[in-house]
Amino acid sequence: MKTRSPRLVIVSARAPFVRTGSGIVRAPGGLISALLPLMRRSRGTWIATGADREACDTSELPFRVRALALPSEIRSAWYAGASNGALWPLSHGFGEVCRFRAEQARAYFEVCRAAADAAAEYALPGGVVWVHDYQLALVPALLRARRPDLTIGFFWHIPWPASDSLRVLPWASELIEGVLGADLVGLHVPRYVRAFRDALDELGIAYVNDGESIVVPRGARHTRIEAWPIGVDVDGWASLGRDETVAAEAARITADLGGGRVLLSVDRMDYAKGIVERLEAFERLLEQNAEARERVTLVQIGVPSRETVPAYRELRQRIEATVGRIQGRFGGPRRKPVHLFARTFDSTELAAYYLAADAAIVTPKRDGMNLVAFEYVATRPRPNGRLLLSTTAGAADVLTEAHLVNPYDEEGLTSAIEDVALAPETASDIARMAALQARVSQLSVETWASGFLARLEQVTEERVPVRAQETRLAASARVTRAR
Ligand code: G6P
């Protein structure tokens, strides 16, 4: 789909480039790879609130990138506090991890205001601004107040919080009002759109259902909320999967691991990814099954993450301790049942592990989507291998042919790992992987990005006959508002 989007403005926490020892390089991740060509074409501006200014304010870049100058204590209260100490655990159902502090909420509001100011400065008259994720959810409304001429899109990349969880957020109604400043709000799967509708009910905000999407009237305009499942760079992963050097490296990995069955997990070290629970399930498998003790190796790639947040530092220690315990119990001079790599892997290294793995174990406790599941499927040149996927990941709503498991069911998780590790491959396994490959290739991240932008422009032009229906104003909404 062609979009006009001249001088598109993107607003996100992370910048598309990072400075490394060898200069400025593209930041990792499918979202960046999908948006870079669009940004090059539109010669737009990328505003990054959490970025390193040195990596951005340089003429070496193919388009303008602006890192905001924010005092470090504000940046930290916004990032480690309100975003990753409150909104992230809240949205992933980890209520006990949430901390709500007024000074962190103030910092969140301040960063969103600064981002809205910058977007208002760089957007052309009548231009398009696309704001990303939970770290910047107030930007759409703040920007609309400054620049009513703009078309504003917003994408929330994590699960939309259940309404019971949202009730405990002291600034829940500001959050929703902030998001509703956009013309089009994207969430990954219909399940999250339904959760968003529950939040509207709770707050007594009127809407109409339009098929699977929701339309919220906002004066002369309206906001549309829809499911837009993201994907990965399918061609990029597939071509790495066909690369002979990558295949040779995969063969070396399999041989180095002893030639048995290889299970692979790749995650940021985040409590929502269920890494400790997965390791414990694997430990139970080793306790129960002699063949697994001899033949199965779990490779856990754990990318260090958010280590300024205490819950993340503690998690890393728990992961390392659990791996140490398993090693102590089941390892030997020639046998190491778990390999933990606590570092970032580039896509070529990852592709070799994807090829080497007989199964990908993707068992987060909760996940907005989970692109590792997609990457594993996209990299494989043939429909072999198995994908074990949590029912609680957004990806499970899309990749329905995966082996699905409830990550909270301890014995269920152990036996699912046992099955994908040791059961002989059947025709049904091959058919499942072929179906997954077909599904994943329909969902490329490029199609997602250009489709969302085209839809955004369409939404601002459409005139929906909106008949606002009164929704119930729940007692909880009154509680939320009466702060
Ligand atoms: C998730 C979020 C992104 C975030 C990424 C990495 O995928 O949806 O917005 O950028 O995690 O987290 P970090 O805190 O390192 O930016």
Side-chain angles (χ1 to χ4, degrees), residues 14 79 84 88 133-135 157-158 268 306:
R14 293 275 170 195
Y79 176 78
N84 292 310
W88 177 275
D133 227 353
Y134 64 98
Q135 305 93 335
H157 290 261
I158 64 176
R268 272 186 315 100
R306 304 179 189 164

Side-chain angles (χ1 to χ4, degrees), residues 20-68:
T20 66
S22 46
I24 293 177
V25 298
R26 211 190 78 182
L31 177 65
I32 306 270
S33 65
L35 294 176
L36 282 186
L38 289 173
M39 289 301 279
R40 279 202 186 91
R41 276 204 300 278
S42 88
R43 291 187 297 118
T45 302
W46 192 308
I47 295 159
T49 46
D52 157 20
R53 294 194 90 195
E54 282 182 16
C56 300
D57 296 341
T58 150
S59 56
E60 287 168 50
L61 304 179
F63 51 84
R64 191 192 290 137
V65 181
R66 283 287 168 266
L68 300 188

Side-chain angles (χ1 to χ4, degrees), residues 115-142:
D117 287 341
E121 182 185 340
Y122 288 108
L124 287 182
V128 176
V129 179
W130 191 1
V131 183
H132 288 269
D133 227 353
Y134 64 98
Q135 305 93 335
L136 295 165
L138 308 181
V139 174
L142 293 166

Side-chain angles (χ1 to χ4, degrees), residues 91-92 155-160 187-194 227-231 272-273 362-374 387 389-402 404-405 407 436 439 443:
S91 303
H92 288 82
F155 204 92
W156 178 273
H157 290 261
I158 64 176
W160 184 263
L187 299 154
H188 285 306
V189 289
R191 189 151 50 105
Y192 303 156
V193 176
R194 292 196 288 276
W228 279 85
I230 199 170
K273 305 289 183 182
V362 184
T363 55
K365 293 174 93 175
R366 199 79 203 285
D367 214 331
M369 189 54 136
N370 194 298
L371 296 179
V372 167
F374 285 68
L387 172 63
L389 180 60
S390 289
T391 48
T392 46
D397 296 27
V398 178
L399 304 180
T400 48
E401 293 84 1
L404 296 175
V405 66
L436 288 170
R439 187 71 49 82
L443 286 173

Side-chain angles (χ1 to χ4, degrees), residues 194-259:
R194 292 196 288 276
F196 195 96
R197 193 170 54 201
D198 291 345
L200 296 174
D201 280 336
E202 286 268 324
L203 294 172
I205 297 173
Y207 60 85
V208 283
N209 294 306
D210 181 16
E212 282 201 332
S213 66
I214 303 171
V215 183
V216 180
R218 305 263 86 187
R221 55 167 207 98
H222 57 265
T223 303
R224 209 171 242 286
I225 297 100
E226 290 185 347
W228 279 85
I230 199 170
V232 295
D233 173 10
V234 180
D235 295 341
W237 287 105
S239 89
L240 282 173
R242 288 189 302 265
D243 187 299
E244 281 175 16
T245 331
V246 173
E249 178 59 15
R252 196 187 59 74
I253 291 168
T254 311
D256 286 352
L257 294 175

